[in-house]
Amino acid sequence: MTSSDLQNLYQQVILDHAKQKHGYGLHDGAVSSSRQVNPTCGDEITLNIHANVDGEVQSISWEGHGCSISTASASLLADIVSDEPREVLTAKIAAFRELMQSKGTIDGDEELLGDAVALAGVSRYVTRIKCAMLPWVALEDALARA
């Protein structure tokens, strides 16, 4: 697969997640919540954490509005948060932050980040990094509040 083919595939993943938002709609029973706003472009997200009795995060639910990058990022995040201990989620957040700060020099750890590596190309556009990071910052904040 050429890099152009891979970039087209990643763009399609982002568009698909922006349209079919996984985890969208806040659910009752959250153990923690965070609301984040990107004042630069107006993106907003409220993210809820849902945990089991052992304290592992079972899932997230979210609502918000914004550009296709921020909504796709939230949707992709919802796909990789499933029955995870806090330490694993913290590692995923750190890996995604590193990916966003890479300026396109790394591809990202697909085993850790799943399809969220599709957002790697965003790291080349400084003004869009905050859009992609918004749900991840909300998760990080909600974990700190839990």
Side-chain angles (χ1 to χ4, degrees):
M1 183 176 282
T2 68
S3 76
S4 177
D5 291 340
L6 191 56
Q7 188 172 359
N8 287 338
L9 175 63
Y10 283 171
Q11 287 174 345
Q12 191 59 51
V13 167
I14 292 168
L15 291 173
D16 289 349
H17 275 271
K19 290 177 185 171
Q20 300 291 325
K21 302 172 184 114
H22 300 180
Y24 189 80
L26 297 176
H27 302 293
D28 292 335
V31 296
S32 185
S33 183
S34 176
R35 180 177 181 273
Q36 299 292 317
V37 176
N38 179 354
T40 307
C41 64
D43 293 350
E44 295 183 21
I45 187 170
T46 300
L47 183 140
N48 286 350
I49 293 177
H50 307 279
N52 63 24
V53 293
D54 296 327
E56 288 184 337
V57 176
Q58 288 181 302
S59 64
I60 61 168
S61 61
W62 64 278
E63 282 186 355
H65 65 274
C67 67
S68 61
I69 291 172
S70 68
T71 55
S73 185
S75 179
L76 289 159
L77 178 59
D79 281 354
I80 63 168
V81 175
S82 178
D83 298 320
E84 298 282 10
R86 181 182 297 256
E87 301 80 36
V88 172
L89 293 177
T90 301
K92 288 181 181 194
I93 293 166
F96 190 76
R97 182 171 280 122
E98 179 184 24
L99 179 64
M100 289 296 104
Q101 293 172 344
S102 75
K103 295 183 172 45
T105 60
I106 62 174
D107 295 328
D109 183 347
E110 191 171 352
E111 190 171 314
L112 190 60
L113 297 175
D115 284 345
V117 297
L119 293 163
V122 170
S123 69
R124 290 182 290 234
Y125 306 99
V126 175
T127 58
R128 305 308 297 217
I129 293 171
K130 287 183 182 178
C131 301
M133 282 298 303
L134 192 66
W136 299 76
V137 169
L139 175 60
E140 186 174 50
D141 183 56
L143 287 170
R145 293 171 183 259

